[in-house]
């Protein structure tokens, strides 16, 4: 977890590779669907372009079918999910049904203004439709209102592993691995 621009996608790929599990990024799946013009993509695009969350039901159904795929059988890393309380509840029932267990909730902490700068830079490089300054500000607001409270929820379960997400990618990665070393594997 972490606000838009915290580096979740970059770090998720490295962590998943290290543990030999898939990184399941809801944002990437939505973007792939938008790119292919699927009905899911057409629906998701309206929300994404405005910086809003795609409705829980749509997102939950997508994650449920993704984690049922065979490559996720031995475990998986979720990047960008859950983002709402309703998604937390749904994830709980999904992982219970598949016999998995949540080992850790990794939170990347970053400075808000640095994040806006990072995202504007990414906009230049990748040209994402939701990386304009207005939409970035809206995404940060939505994150603060809908997603930040989940840190306390998972904190109450003793699952939160907080890592400083500022600095070089490789340094952040090292901090993440060091922090995850202390987490018992299920
Ligand atoms: P991301 O690449 O993780 O920043 O996600 C890009 C966009 O996809 C978000 O701004 C949302 O519109 C949508 N999205 C990704 N994950 C979720 C989620 N768990 N719940 C709702 N919308 C999501």
């Amino acid at each position: 977890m972490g606000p838009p621009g915290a580096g979740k996608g970059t770090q998720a790929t490295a962590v998943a590779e290290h543990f030999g599990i898939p990184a399941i990024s809801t944002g990437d799946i939505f973007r792939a669907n938008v790119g292919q013009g699927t009905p899911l993509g057409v629906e998701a695009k309206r929300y994404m372009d405005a910086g809003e969350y795609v409705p829980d039901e749509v997102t939950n159904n997508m994650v449920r079918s993704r984690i049922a795929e065979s490559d996720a059988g031995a475990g998986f890393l979720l990047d960008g999910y859950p983002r709402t309380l309703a998604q937390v509840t749904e994830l709980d029932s999904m992982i219970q049904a598949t016999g998995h267990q949540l080992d850790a909730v990794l939170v990347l902490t970053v400075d808000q203004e640095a994040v806006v700068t990072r995202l504007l830079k990414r906009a230049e490089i990748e040209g994402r439709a939701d990386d304009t300054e207005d939409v970035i500000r809206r995404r940060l607001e939505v994150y603060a209102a809908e997603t930040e409270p989940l840190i306390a929820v998972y904190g109450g379960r003793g699952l939160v592993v907080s890592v400083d997400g500022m600095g070089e990618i490789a340094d952040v990665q090292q901090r993440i691995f060091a922090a995850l070393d202390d987490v018992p594997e299920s």
Side-chain angles (χ1 to χ4, degrees), residues 8 25-28 30-31 47-48 51-54 59 79-83 87 122 128 130 139:
K8 295 190 296 294
S25 156
T26 42
D28 281 352
F30 283 134
R31 276 184 290 279
Y47 298 97
M48 295 169 79
E52 306 294 336
Y53 285 168
V54 178
T59 309
D79 163 18
Y81 182 93
R83 268 171 148 116
Q87 292 179 12
R122 184 172 76 184
R128 268 177 58 164
D130 58 351
R139 285 162 62 209

Side-chain angles (χ1 to χ4, degrees), residues 121-182:
K121 204 165 139 198
R122 184 172 76 184
E124 275 174 35
I125 299 165
E126 294 179 18
R128 268 177 58 164
D130 58 351
D131 274 345
T132 63
E133 184 149 7
D134 281 355
V135 177
I136 288 167
R137 300 261 175 221
R138 179 63 193 145
R139 285 162 62 209
L140 287 166
E141 273 173 21
V142 174
Y143 175 81
E146 304 267 348
T147 306
E148 213 164 49
L150 308 189
I151 297 173
V153 173
Y154 284 125
R157 299 189 195 177
L159 289 174
V160 169
V161 176
S162 222
V163 170
D164 177 6
M166 299 305 295
E168 295 298 320
I169 290 175
D171 295 338
V172 177
Q173 191 176 314
Q174 285 209 327
R175 278 177 224 143
I176 291 174
F177 287 134
L180 290 179
D181 265 351
D182 297 333

Side-chain angles (χ1 to χ4, degrees), residues 79-94:
D79 163 18
Y81 182 93
R83 268 171 148 116
T84 66
L85 215 44
Q87 292 179 12
V88 169
T89 308
E90 199 59 28
L91 177 62
D92 284 340
S93 82
M94 282 181 220

